[in-house]
Amino acid sequence: MSRVVAENLSPSPARDSVPFFDRREAMEMAGVGAAASPTLGHLLKVVGDMRKEVTGDETPAHQALEMRENGMEPRSLPFVLSFSNLTYSVKVPRKMSWPTLFRGRNAATASDPVTGETFFTRTKVLLNDISGEAPDGEIMAVMGASGSGKSTLIDALANRMAKESLQGTISLNGEQLESSLLKVISAYVMQDDLLFPMLTVEETLMFAAEFRLPRSLSKSKKKMRVQALIDQLGLRNAAKTVIGDEGHRGVSGGERRRVSIGTDIIHDPILLFLDEPTSGLDSTSAYMVVKVLQRIAQSGSIVIMSIHQPSYRILGLLDRMIFLSRGHTVYSGSPSNLPLFFSDFGHPIPDNENRTEFALDLIRELEGSPGGTKSLVEFNKSWQTMKRSGNPNSETTALMSTYGLSLKEAISASISRGKLVSGATNDATSTSLVPTFANPLWIELAVLSNRSFTNTRRMPELFGIRLGAVLVTGFILATMFWHLDNSPKGVQERLGFFAFAMSTTFYTCADALPVFLQERYIFMRETAYNAYRRSSYVLSHSLVALPSLLFLSLAFSATTFWAVGLDGGSSGFFFYFLIIFASFWAGSSFVTFLSGVVPHVMLGYTIVVAILAYFLLFSGFFINRDRIPPYWIWFHYISLVKYPYEAVLQNEFEDPTKCFVRGVQIFDNTPLAAVPLALKEKLLNGLSSSLGMKITSTTCVTTGTDILQQEGVTDLSKWDCLWITIAWGFFFRILFYFSLLLGSKNKRR
C-alpha cells in the first residue's frame, strides 16, 4: 500500500513537495481508530486531500462504491499486469510492378523472406517481442508515431485479438487471464465517442450503471455512484445536457470524451484500457481527462492508454511509458528516466524542451535513416538489462512475494472492499466469483427498452416522417381506388390495390435499416465486456419496434379500408388491420436482419429494394402460382409478399354468395366489351342455348370463390397466411441474433 501512495506522489514536482506520513498519522487523519487497519481508499483520500492543499487541484477523488453495510474491509492487494514477447503480424498484399512480375516469386521474396509469405502477399509485423508490466495505482502510457503499433498493443492487452493471431503471454498477478474473466474485470474505452445523442450525461451514466452494477445494489446506491462519478469526471455543470450530434447541440468534445470514459468505469474495473483518450481535445480538456484517469488508477486500477504527444502537464501525471517504433520497443520505463536514457544514448534532452516531443522527433529522425531505429532498440535492451542487474530485487517481485495470493483471492478481496462491483458477489458459496453478466435477462431487457424509448422519444421527427409517409401513401391509394364496384374491372382494380398496398408496407419498413447501423458500434462496445446479453438486445429491439408498427398499421388500415370499399365489415377490417400489422412486423424484421449483415446504409438500401422487388414479382400477382416455372417456384414460397397478399384476397373474396360478374359483364375484359348491349344480349342467349342453361343479365357468373381459384389462392387459409407472416418476422429476428453473435466479435485476426 505504501508503494502506491509513495509512487503516486513522485512523478510531478508538485507531488515531490508533499511529505510522506506514517501509518498512525494516516489513521488519525482518515478518522480510523488505532485498532483498525487503514484501507487503500482511506490512505488515498488523505493523500488526495493533502495534494489538493498543495496543488490547488479540485478534481474529486475516485471512490469505490461501498458494498458492505458494516464490518471491517480487508486490506487492498496489488495487481500487476505482465506481458512478455508479444508478437503480432498480418498479411498484406504486395505492390506488384512489371519488373517484379518478370523476375518471379523468388525475386519478390528475396528482400524480406518470411515464413508464410507468398507471391501476392507479404507479412507485416505490427508488434515485435514487446514486454513490460503495469501495476495498479499507476498510469502506463503507450507512445509512438502514427503506425508505430500503439493501438495494436492496447488491443492485444485487452484481449481484442484472436488467440491464434497473437504470440506471447499476458498474465495478471502471474496467472493467465481467461477471456470470460477479463471481460468482467476490465473495460476498454474506444477512440471514438459512441453514445446515444439524445440522452443527457446523467441518463447515459445511469443506464450504464443499470447494466454494469448488480441487482443486489439498491437504486439509491446506483444513483449515488452515478452522482459521485459525475463529480469525479467534472461533469456537474453538464449533467442535464444531452450528448448531442450533428443535428442537435450538446456537450463539448472534452465532456463527451469524459462521458465515454465514465460509461466504461461505472463498475470500477480492475483493468482499464484506453485508445488515445486525449485525441482531438484541447490541452486543458486533455489534462482533465488524464487527471481523472490518475484518480482511477489511485483507487487500485491498472490504467493503460495510448497517447500521441502529451503536454508537459500530462507527462507529470504518467508513471510508466513505452515508446514504440514500427512494432519495436525503443524505451520502457519511468518518464523521469527519459533524460538519463537519451543522455546515455548520446542524445541528451535540452533543459527547455518537452521530453516526449524530443523523444518522438528523434525516433522519427532515426526511422528515416538507413539503419532505422535498430540502434535505439538494441540500446534499450542493453540499458534495461543493466538497470535490472543493478536492482535484482525488482519492486513488482517484492510486492508479489509479500502478498503471495492467487488471482482469485486478490479479486475476491477487491470485490469485498467495493472495488469491483460489476456482478460481484460476496457469497462464499457462490460457484462463480464474478458472474458473466451483472443482471438477469429481464432486467437487461427493461433497461435496454427504457433507454431506446427515451432516445427515440426525443426525436419525434423520425416517427413523424414515417407516419406521414404511410398516411400520404394511404391517402393516395384511397383516392385512386375510391369505392371500387363489384364489376370485373373492380376485381382487377382490387387485385392491383392489394398488391401495391402489401408491397408498400414492406418498402415503408426500409427506414429501420439505419437504426441498428447507427447503434452497431455502441452495441459492440457494450457487449464486448458483457454489459448485457445479445439476446436481450434482440428482444428489446423487437419490443421497442412494436408500438410504432401498431400505430402505423392502424393509420394505414383506417385510411384505406372504408375508402376503397373493401368487404367484410368490422370483422373484415380487424383481419385487414392484423395482416397489415403482420406485414410491418415481417418487413421490419427482414430489414433489421439485413442491417446486422450489411455494414453500409446505401448498400443496404440497394439490397432491400432489390429483394423486395423480387418478392413482389413472385408473390402471385403478376403471374399465377401454376404458371411460375418449376425452377423458380421455391422463390414463390419464400416471398414475404405472397402470404399477406393471399390473406387480403381471401378476406375480400371469401364470401361465396357475393357476385362479381353478372350476365353480359363476362364480355367486359374481352375484345367484345365495345360491342352494343343488344348484341351482347344476343351472344348471351346463344351461349345459354349451347350450355343448356338460362343466363340473363342478372345471373351470377363469377363469385369470390371463383376469383380465388383463378388467382391460385387455394392452398392456405387467410389465418394460415397471417400466422406464416408473423412467423417470418420471428425467423428474421432469430437470424438477426445469429448475425450479431457471429459478426460482432470485435477482434483482430
Side-chain angles (χ1 to χ4, degrees), residues 30-233:
V32 182
S37 176
T39 65
L40 178 62
H42 291 136
L43 295 178
L44 289 175
K45 183 179 186 301
V46 176
V47 176
D49 293 340
M50 295 178 65
R51 293 175 58 192
K52 287 182 181 181
E53 293 179 4
V54 177
T55 64
D57 176 27
E58 297 298 329
T59 308
H62 182 86
Q63 297 178 357
L65 181 62
E66 299 293 339
M67 294 190 65
R68 289 190 170 189
E69 299 294 339
N70 48 44
M72 290 192 306
E73 296 177 349
R75 63 182 180 180
S76 57
L77 299 172
F79 290 96
V80 180
L81 181 71
S82 302
F83 50 96
S84 60
N85 309 117
L86 295 184
T87 302
Y88 174 70
S89 59
V90 294
K91 290 185 178 181
V92 295
R94 289 185 178 275
K95 292 183 179 180
M96 305 303 294
S97 60
W98 286 110
T100 303
L101 291 174
F102 284 117
R103 286 197 299 267
R105 174 176 176 175
N106 292 334
T109 60
S111 59
D112 54 345
V114 178
T115 303
E117 288 195 349
T118 66
F119 181 70
F120 298 102
T121 63
R122 65 182 180 87
T123 300
K124 182 178 181 181
V125 180
L126 301 182
L127 296 178
N128 193 330
D129 198 27
I130 307 295
S131 300
E133 60 184 20
D136 67 280
E138 297 183 357
I139 298 179
M140 171 180 280
V142 182
M143 301 182 61
S146 298
S148 61
K150 300 188 301 295
S151 297
T152 306
L153 178 58
I154 297 293
D155 286 347
L157 297 177
N159 192 35
R160 291 165 61 87
M161 290 181 178
K163 289 184 178 180
E164 62 272 13
S165 302
L166 180 68
Q167 299 176 4
T169 59
I170 302 173
S171 62
L172 183 63
N173 286 18
E175 298 182 24
Q176 283 197 336
L177 276 172
E178 297 179 0
S179 178
S180 57
L181 178 61
L182 181 63
K183 286 183 178 181
V184 182
I185 67 171
S186 66
Y188 184 96
V189 180
M190 296 182 180
Q191 187 172 350
D192 298 324
D193 300 320
L194 306 173
L195 304 167
F196 285 92
M198 299 313 295
L199 298 180
T200 65
V201 170
E202 187 175 13
E203 289 171 341
T204 301
L205 295 177
M206 193 63 206
F207 281 122
E210 294 285 355
F211 287 132
R212 302 307 298 263
L213 303 185
R215 184 177 47 161
S216 58
L217 289 178
S218 63
K219 189 82 170 180
S220 60
K221 279 200 170 185
K222 292 178 181 178
K223 289 182 178 179
M224 287 172 57
R225 169 63 177 155
V226 169
Q227 295 304 318
L229 191 58
I230 288 175
D231 290 330
Q232 177 194 353
L233 295 170

Side-chain angles (χ1 to χ4, degrees), residues 373-642:
T373 57
K374 184 177 180 180
S375 59
L376 187 58
V377 172
E378 295 299 327
F379 175 77
N380 174 63
K381 291 180 180 178
S382 60
W383 197 79
Q384 296 292 343
T385 303
M386 180 180 64
K387 185 179 177 183
R388 282 194 296 270
S389 63
N391 183 19
N393 296 322
S394 67
E395 182 182 12
T396 301
T397 304
L399 282 167
M400 295 307 298
S401 62
T402 299
Y403 294 97
L405 293 181
S406 68
L407 177 59
K408 288 188 176 181
E409 289 173 330
I411 294 176
S412 179
S414 185
I415 291 173
S416 297
R417 71 181 181 89
K419 171 60 186 169
L420 181 68
V421 293
S422 176
T425 175
N426 290 318
D427 184 5
T429 63
S430 177
T431 56
S432 176
L433 178 66
V434 182
T436 305
F437 297 96
N439 294 287
L441 186 143
W442 66 271
I443 289 184
E444 296 175 352
L445 184 61
V447 176
L448 282 166
S449 301
N450 186 21
R451 182 176 70 174
S452 184
F453 274 125
T454 303
N455 190 63
T456 55
R457 189 177 68 246
R458 292 174 183 167
M459 292 188 289
E461 63 274 9
L462 298 181
F463 178 75
I465 292 174
R466 190 176 184 185
L467 177 62
V470 169
L471 289 176
V472 168
T473 303
F475 174 77
I476 293 175
L477 289 175
T479 52
M480 282 289 294
F481 297 95
W482 182 263
H483 286 178
L484 297 179
D485 55 20
N486 294 331
S487 65
K489 288 186 178 180
V491 171
Q492 294 300 317
E493 290 165 353
R494 275 177 167 79
L495 297 177
F497 165 77
F498 287 136
F500 189 85
M502 294 302 104
S503 60
T504 298
T505 58
F506 286 95
Y507 278 110
T508 306
C509 295
D511 71 330
L513 185 69
V515 173
F516 175 71
L517 292 178
Q518 293 172 353
E519 298 180 9
R520 174 190 291 272
Y521 294 105
I522 298 179
F523 165 82
M524 292 175 67
R525 172 177 62 83
E526 292 176 333
T527 55
Y529 291 88
N530 292 3
Y532 49 80
R533 299 167 179 81
R534 292 175 176 84
S535 56
S536 300
Y537 182 85
V538 173
L539 290 173
S540 169
H541 196 279
S542 304
L543 290 176
V544 170
L546 290 179
S548 60
L549 298 181
L550 196 66
F551 196 82
L552 293 175
S553 304
L554 183 61
F556 186 81
S557 303
T559 305
T560 57
F561 185 83
W562 287 287
V564 176
L566 301 182
D567 192 39
S570 57
S571 61
F573 171 78
F574 179 70
F575 183 83
Y576 179 71
F577 160 73
L578 288 180
I579 197 64
I580 293 293
F581 177 62
S583 300
F584 273 119
W585 160 249
S588 175
S589 300
F590 170 69
V591 174
T592 299
F593 160 65
L594 286 182
S595 70
V597 177
V598 182
H600 303 292
V601 175
M602 294 309 299
L603 179 61
Y605 277 129
T606 302
I607 295 176
V608 167
V609 170
I611 294 180
L612 290 180
Y614 300 148
F615 284 162
L616 178 60
L617 175 64
F618 290 96
S619 64
F621 169 70
F622 294 102
I623 183 171
N624 286 356
R625 181 187 60 202
D626 54 354
R627 302 276 295 175
I628 297 177
Y631 46 84
W632 282 121
I633 195 65
W634 60 272
F635 212 128
H636 170 73
Y637 287 102
I638 68 170
S639 170
L640 292 183
V641 182
K642 160 188 165 63

Side-chain angles (χ1 to χ4, degrees), residues 143-145 308-309 315 321 323-325 330-331 338-339 341-342 345 347-350 353-367 373 376:
M143 301 182 61
H308 183 64
Q309 196 162 338
L315 185 63
M321 306 174 69
F323 278 90
L324 298 179
S325 174
V330 294
Y331 174 76
L338 271 176
F341 175 81
F342 283 103
F345 183 62
H347 293 77
I349 302 176
E353 189 164 349
N354 185 298
R355 301 172 188 174
T356 56
E357 290 181 0
F358 175 86
L360 291 172
D361 290 342
L362 178 60
I363 292 171
R364 289 193 190 97
E365 182 180 340
L366 291 175
E367 287 176 346
T373 57
L376 187 58

Side-chain angles (χ1 to χ4, degrees), residues 238-255:
K240 302 296 182 182
T241 306
V242 297
I243 301 299
D245 57 9
E246 295 82 358
H248 303 86
R249 187 177 181 85
V251 297
S252 66
E255 292 169 335

